[in-house]
Amino acid sequence: MSEEPEPDPRPPRAADALLRLCLPPGVAGLSILGDLHQDFQERVYRGSLLGHRLRYWRTALALACWYALRRSPIPLPNPGSPVPPRPMASPGGGAAAGDWATTIADGLADFRFAMRMLARTPLLSLTAVLTIGLGVGLTTQTFSAVYGSTMRGLPVPGAERLMFVDENRLELDIRSTEMSIHDFLDLRREQTSFEDVAAFYQGTVSLAGEEGLPERFAGAYLTANALSHLGVPPLLGRTFLPGEDGPGAAPAVVLSHHVWRNRFGGDPAILGRAIRVNGRATEVVGVMPEGFRFPFQEDLWLPHRLDPAALPRGAGEDLDVFGRLRAGVSVEAARSELAAVAAGLAQRFPETNRGVGMGVERYDYRFMPRHIQAILWMMLGSTLGVLLIACANVANLLLARAATRTREVAIRTALGSSRGRVVRQLLLESALLAALGGALGLAMGVGGLRLYEGIAAGIRRPYWIDPRMEIPVLLFALGVTAAAALLAGILPALRASGVRAGEVLKDESRGSSGLRLGRFSHALVVAEIAVSCSLLVGAGFMVKSVRNAGRVELGFESASVLTGRLTLHEADYPDAGSRERFLALLRERLREEPWVEEAALGTHLPGLGSFRYFLAVEGEAYATDRDYPSVNAAAVSAGYFRTFGVEPLQGREFDALEARAGGDPVVVVNRSFAERYLEGGPALGRRLRLGLGGSTEPWLTVVGVVPDMHVGGGVGGLGDDRIPPERIFLPLGLHDLRAAALAVRTRGEPEAMAARLRAVVAELDPNLPVYDVAALDRSLEQATWAFRLFGVQFSVFGGMALFLAAVGLYGVMAFAVTQRRREMGVRMALGAEGRSIALLVLGRGAVQLSLGTAVGVGMGAAMARPMRAILFGVETADPALYLTIVATLLTTGFVACLLPALAATRVDPVEAMRSP
């Protein structure tokens, strides 16, 4: 049977006598003894007296043995014997070996103790591990995307010196355009900044033969020096020889590794074999190594065969030009030389080169614009913000735990542990938490990367942009994990180890803690709220962009429309007449099919881009070329508007004869064009002429006005909302179409009719592949991939930051209530109501919420400016969005503070006065 508590219970006097005999003299011994007395009295109120007396005896015996051993006398040498020399440190053993053994033993002991401490507080440890895991996982996944997109670079030797050279016409606001073949040849002759310059243009390539069905591939038509200039040797055979890009050279092709493997079964005897390329027997001269897809995502390469001497200056295919800077030549020096070359061409050929300049930039920047790079780096910064929030949360958790361990730290210090040893012990505990969190975060990063790859699977991107888990990413993950361990653990360790034992004893005598969370901990919460608010602003902009992109008024019917593309090559269709006849026959043949309501052809489909033309309106005067309107344009067949369910507002669309070569020179304009450029009277009958001043193109008569149809065409949808809506439609016969977009309105599910579409084309030409076959709805959805990708990323960042900030705020407020439990009890004993207690807690939380939100709104506004490039229909100064973000954050924060506030109102004054 347990003993009844004495009115003033005291520990066993014999145990006290043993402690006074063995403990160090002075303040240190009295502090330890007083600490033990306080602990005994607090425990007696919560259990049996006998059990706690036995526990006191066990502690007293352990401490007595420890101090007795520490104060045992050192044996003195005999008077006649020499004093043994002190061992000197040596690399191979002796004292140094003993020191190392001691250090290892101490480290193992600290490790075991750290594991026990983490196991004693499983909820806190699990929370810390999950928090760090989320931060490390998000940061690792984002860094893998940034590294794969912007840091790894083009996988060719000397990639940092590989430059893209383009032309511009700044007076017409044309910042970048391809180069004519004549300008390229002149540049190649006159430049000295580059080792060499080469050129290419991208186009489709059709393969047909016994090895498989007709198939379309992405190809590049190159100057003969292009592949050798890159410095990547072929896996088999060779690249192109000088002269193989001449007009009379024998046809040759270089295959990519995956085409060689998939279509030709990796046949090692492929070299020298003749295959049918673009309708012509062509010799395979080489196979490039796996992964090489230059210049963008190409499958095979052909020589660019065109005789510039047979073309007037400026005619022919325009080219993308690149070259590698010579050693020691800067980009600025190359830019100056190019300006001089362009000025010389403008002086010699004013008809074609007046106002034409030349520019240069790194090759990989051409396909990954700087504003997109800035967004990616901002995303990485956002995830680092989430990681900082996670570290702040763990630091607050460890501070809270350190506040409950001041007695333990005081005893360790009194027992002789140095502050460095205590700091090392506490840092080891945070390092273990960070290591476990880092392992979890790495697993999350791998999962996030797979999710990212799934979202981006259909995105056509340069072949060197390939986010994956690789050595630099793993090293980054290790680095952020180590940083998390240091950031989360250093402050709690320093503050806990800096408390003096005597002060702890005096503080504990009042039942409080020697270490409080203090202002710094609350400042951490304010910082968490600020960062989470800024990330929520970015997430809000992206969510609104995704919503706006999904709700855009298309102006046409996209359901039940099947689309595809085809390319007619000169070997099978040698002139414009043969190409026009085939396309007209294909349209008529499709309209005869029972599953087809209407069919049309065009250079562009609605919502998927256009080209632009300068033009003049009859009767208008233009002072300079810069004053001529530049509008979106597409060349279309008869039935184009009916295929998309669009009825003319005025007039009519083209008839079959007008849409063919030699038809009447007519044009159809949209509503925005008529309102902006033809506002002086009725649109029908007005005339337009393509080109700038001095143009000899025929005047085109407006025969119809149609509703605005969404233009689209930005990369991933980026910038679509800033494309001017004015648009004109030209008869298909005005263009010699080598490639055409095909649209068919079906009487059933569009994609279910894909095989029938291919069958109709195969009837007319069994060697002609149809590619990019898809329902128009799906194509439009894929065209806006960037908003979904960035929207998901920023939404995850913002949601995670909000969650972590709420958890951090709740943790700090809950611990503050726990620390002030006795104060709350005194207030309530003196008559304070629960409402006033709750307001006391809520008031402290409101201050932190207000400060953090105010700072976060400013940070979010600064972050929103560079985000404008990836937003759709969103103004970065939208007050409604900021109010929504602030309301969301304040509501979440209020709930996080309300729970501890309610807990404070339920404090029992009697229990609070008796509790430590």
Side-chain angles (χ1 to χ4, degrees):
M1 180 178 296
S2 62
E3 299 180 11
E4 290 295 325
E6 300 173 0
D8 186 18
R10 297 183 61 81
R13 296 181 180 179
D16 268 357
L18 178 64
L19 285 170
R20 287 190 177 92
L21 181 64
C22 298
L23 286 176
V27 175
L30 292 176
S31 297
I32 296 173
L33 192 61
D35 187 59
L36 292 174
H37 283 193
Q38 179 68 25
D39 181 71
F40 177 83
Q41 291 173 358
E42 291 169 355
R43 292 179 182 275
V44 164
Y45 288 116
R46 298 193 294 269
S48 75
L49 179 60
L50 179 59
H52 290 304
R53 282 180 171 174
L54 292 176
R55 185 179 182 278
Y56 191 94
W57 264 109
R58 185 180 62 187
T59 303
L61 289 172
L63 288 174
C65 291
W66 171 264
Y67 278 101
L69 291 174
R70 284 175 59 88
R71 285 158 46 187
S72 59
I74 301 175
L76 298 176
N78 293 327
S81 61
V83 178
R86 184 176 181 178
M88 297 182 63
S90 64
D99 291 345
W100 277 109
T102 302
T103 302
I104 294 173
D106 290 346
L108 291 175
D110 288 345
F111 178 80
R112 288 191 296 270
F113 183 76
M115 292 296 292
R116 288 197 300 271
M117 291 303 301
L118 298 185
R120 282 177 57 184
T121 54
L123 182 59
L124 183 147
S125 301
L126 181 60
T127 303
V129 168
L130 289 176
T131 302
I132 291 179
L134 289 173
V136 172
L138 280 177
T139 309
T140 301
Q141 185 268 325
T142 307
F143 179 77
S144 66
V146 172
Y147 181 81
S149 301
T150 64
M151 299 175 67
R152 187 192 304 115
L154 194 66
V156 301
E160 70 282 356
R161 293 185 292 115
L162 196 69
M163 300 290 151
F164 194 96
V165 182
D166 60 2
E167 291 188 330
N168 58 70
R169 299 194 67 177
L170 299 181
E171 63 179 17
L172 299 178
D173 289 330
I174 299 175
R175 302 290 174 179
S176 177
T177 186
E178 295 84 3
M179 191 177 297
S180 73
I181 187 170
H182 301 91
D183 288 356
F184 164 70
L185 293 175
D186 289 334
L187 170 67
R188 189 175 183 180
R189 242 184 340 263
E190 297 177 22
Q191 67 84 25
T192 59
S193 298
F194 300 91
E195 295 173 3
D196 198 358
V197 289
F200 64 87
Y201 74 88
Q202 296 166 272
T204 60
V205 178
S206 298
L207 294 187
E210 298 177 354
E211 71 278 354
L213 295 173
E215 197 171 357
R216 174 261 183 189
F217 293 99
Y221 297 80
L222 310 153
T223 54
N225 67 327
L227 292 178
S228 59
H229 183 53
L230 291 171
V232 178
L235 179 68
L236 299 175
R238 60 175 177 81
T239 57
F240 302 122
L241 300 174
E244 279 192 315
D245 54 355
V253 63
V254 174
L255 303 178
S256 66
H257 186 274
H258 72 277
V259 170
W260 169 63
R261 184 186 63 242
N262 296 335
R263 187 171 178 90
F264 299 100
D267 184 3
I270 191 70
L271 298 179
R273 178 176 166 184
I275 62 175
R276 186 175 174 82
V277 180
N278 293 341
R280 181 176 300 171
T282 306
E283 179 187 359
V284 178
V285 298
V287 176
M288 295 304 290
E290 185 173 6
F292 182 85
R293 304 287 298 276
F294 184 88
F296 188 80
Q297 196 68 255
E298 270 50 57
D299 302 309
L300 38 78
W301 299 269
L302 297 165
H304 171 52
R305 290 197 176 91
L306 201 59
D307 185 5
L311 294 170
R313 189 172 186 89
E317 294 282 356
D318 288 337
L319 303 174
D320 290 305
V321 179
F322 67 95
R324 183 175 280 104
L325 286 175
R326 296 183 186 276
V329 177
S330 66
V331 176
E332 290 72 20
R335 190 171 287 123
S336 298
E337 184 184 50
L338 291 175
V341 171
L345 293 178
Q347 186 175 7
R348 296 201 303 272
F349 308 104
E351 315 83 33
T352 57
N353 289 75
R354 182 175 61 85
V356 176
M358 292 185 182
V360 60
E361 63 178 335
R362 272 186 54 162
Y363 184 89
D364 47 358
Y365 290 173
R366 173 73 173 188
F367 297 99
M368 179 56 67
R370 291 182 182 274
H371 66 275
I372 300 298
Q373 292 187 46
I375 295 298
L376 290 173
W377 283 105
M378 188 169 67
M379 286 171 54
L380 181 60
S382 299
T383 57
L384 289 174
V386 175
L387 180 63
L388 287 175
I389 292 176
C391 292
N393 272 357
V394 176
N396 273 331
L397 288 173
L398 295 180
L399 276 171
R401 188 172 70 176
T404 65
R405 294 176 63 185
T406 51
R407 181 175 299 148
E408 171 206 327
V409 173
I411 293 175
R412 288 171 61 104
T413 303
L415 292 177
S417 290
S418 65
R419 187 180 186 187
R421 178 69 181 273
V422 173
V423 168
R424 186 178 71 183
Q425 173 65 51
L426 297 176
L427 278 179
L428 181 58
E429 294 175 20
S430 67
L432 285 174
L433 292 173
L436 294 173
L440 177 63
L442 189 60
M444 290 181 175
V446 172
L449 190 57
R450 290 177 179 172
L451 177 63
Y452 176 90
E453 289 172 346
I455 296 174
I459 299 172
R460 181 170 163 79
R461 58 186 186 267
Y463 73 98
W464 63 87
I465 295 182
D466 182 23
R468 58 180 183 268
M469 199 61 64
E470 48 193 320
I471 297 300
V473 178
L474 293 175
L475 292 176
F476 177 83
L478 291 175
V480 296
T481 300
L486 186 63
L487 291 172
I490 188 65
L491 179 70
L494 291 176
R495 296 195 68 184
S497 64
V499 176
R500 296 181 180 178
E503 293 177 356
V504 171
L505 178 61
K506 290 171 60 180
D507 203 19
E508 293 292 334
S509 67
R510 297 189 300 268
S512 60
S513 170
L515 175 64
R516 301 182 182 275
L517 291 184
R519 295 179 180 178
F520 189 84
S521 184
H522 294 294
L524 286 179
V525 174
V526 172
E528 290 182 41
I529 295 170
V531 174
S532 65
C533 182
S534 65
L535 294 180
L536 282 173
V537 170
F541 282 131
M542 289 310 308
V543 169
K544 194 169 183 179
S545 293
V546 173
R547 186 188 65 182
N548 291 346
R551 295 180 179 179
V552 66
E553 288 292 334
L554 295 176
F556 58 89
E557 297 177 9
S558 60
S560 300
V561 177
L562 180 66
T563 64
R565 296 190 67 86
L566 46 82
T567 301
L568 306 177
H569 297 287
E570 291 186 358
D572 296 318
Y573 304 92
D575 52 47
S578 62
R579 291 187 281 273
E580 183 191 16
R581 287 190 295 273
F582 176 83
L583 295 176
L585 179 62
L586 174 60
R587 178 173 179 265
E588 292 306 317
R589 178 67 184 82
L590 284 169
R591 296 181 72 200
E592 295 171 359
E593 289 290 310
W595 53 277
V596 174
E597 290 186 5
E598 185 58 271
L601 296 158
T603 55
H604 297 83
L605 298 176
L608 298 176
S610 71
F611 48 69
R612 294 184 67 81
Y613 271 140
F614 286 99
L615 56 80
V617 178
E618 188 176 32
E620 300 291 334
Y622 305 98
T624 65
D625 284 350
R626 190 184 185 92
D627 299 319
Y628 281 78
S630 173
V631 300
N632 301 296
V636 302
S637 72
Y640 183 87
F641 300 104
R642 289 194 301 274
T643 301
F644 301 105
V646 175
E647 294 292 333
L649 301 173
Q650 300 178 38
R652 58 179 175 81
E653 61 175 305
F654 306 125
D655 60 36
L657 292 178
E658 288 171 337
R660 293 187 177 181
D664 294 335
V666 293
V667 65
V668 172
V669 302
N670 71 353
R671 187 207 310 262
S672 291
F673 183 93
E675 291 176 351
R676 180 171 181 181
Y677 297 113
L678 306 178
E679 72 277 12
L684 300 182
R686 298 288 297 273
R687 298 204 301 172
L688 315 174
R689 182 164 64 188
L690 303 179
L692 298 168
S695 171
T696 58
E697 295 291 325
W699 286 98
L700 306 175
T701 302
V702 177
V703 297
V705 178
V706 297
D708 291 350
M709 303 165 71
H710 180 62
V711 178
V715 177
L718 301 181
D720 283 3
D721 59 330
R722 296 184 291 280
I723 296 176
E726 295 81 17
R727 195 176 193 183
I728 64 173
F729 298 91
L730 306 169
L732 199 63
L734 287 181
H735 289 262
D736 175 14
L737 283 193
R738 300 172 185 268
L742 179 66
V744 179
R745 176 170 289 279
T746 66
R747 290 189 169 91
E749 184 65 27
E751 293 190 342
M753 306 299 173
R756 296 188 184 186
L757 174 62
R758 290 190 172 95
V760 171
V761 175
E763 284 182 19
L764 301 179
D765 186 346
N767 293 319
L768 182 63
V770 184
Y771 55 94
D772 292 346
V773 178
L776 181 57
D777 280 338
R778 183 183 174 198
S779 298
L780 292 172
E781 183 181 357
Q782 290 179 340
T784 55
W785 58 263
F787 299 115
R788 294 192 304 279
L789 181 63
F790 289 124
V792 169
Q793 293 275 27
F794 274 98
S795 297
V796 171
F797 300 158
M800 201 63 65
L802 178 62
F803 170 75
L804 292 175
V807 169
L809 181 60
Y810 168 79
V812 169
M813 298 307 298
F815 190 79
V817 169
T818 302
Q819 278 193 315
R820 301 175 66 184
R821 180 181 176 86
R822 178 169 293 179
E823 174 193 338
M824 302 294 183
V826 171
R827 287 174 178 268
M828 297 183 73
L830 294 176
E833 297 180 353
R835 180 182 178 183
S836 63
I837 297 296
L839 289 177
L840 180 68
V841 177
L842 290 174
R844 180 181 288 269
V847 171
Q848 296 176 82
L849 271 172
S850 301
L851 288 175
T853 303
V855 175
V857 167
M859 293 170 59
M863 186 178 71
R865 295 190 187 96
M867 286 184 66
R868 183 64 187 92
I870 60 171
L871 300 180
F872 189 99
V874 177
E875 294 300 327
T876 56
D878 184 358
L881 190 142
Y882 283 98
L883 289 175
T884 302
I885 297 301
V886 170
T888 301
L889 188 61
L890 292 179
T891 301
T892 306
F894 174 77
V895 173
C897 294
L898 183 61
L899 297 177
L902 293 177
T905 63
R906 293 192 291 268
V907 172
D908 185 340
V910 176
E911 289 294 329
M913 295 293 291
R914 294 174 61 183
S915 65

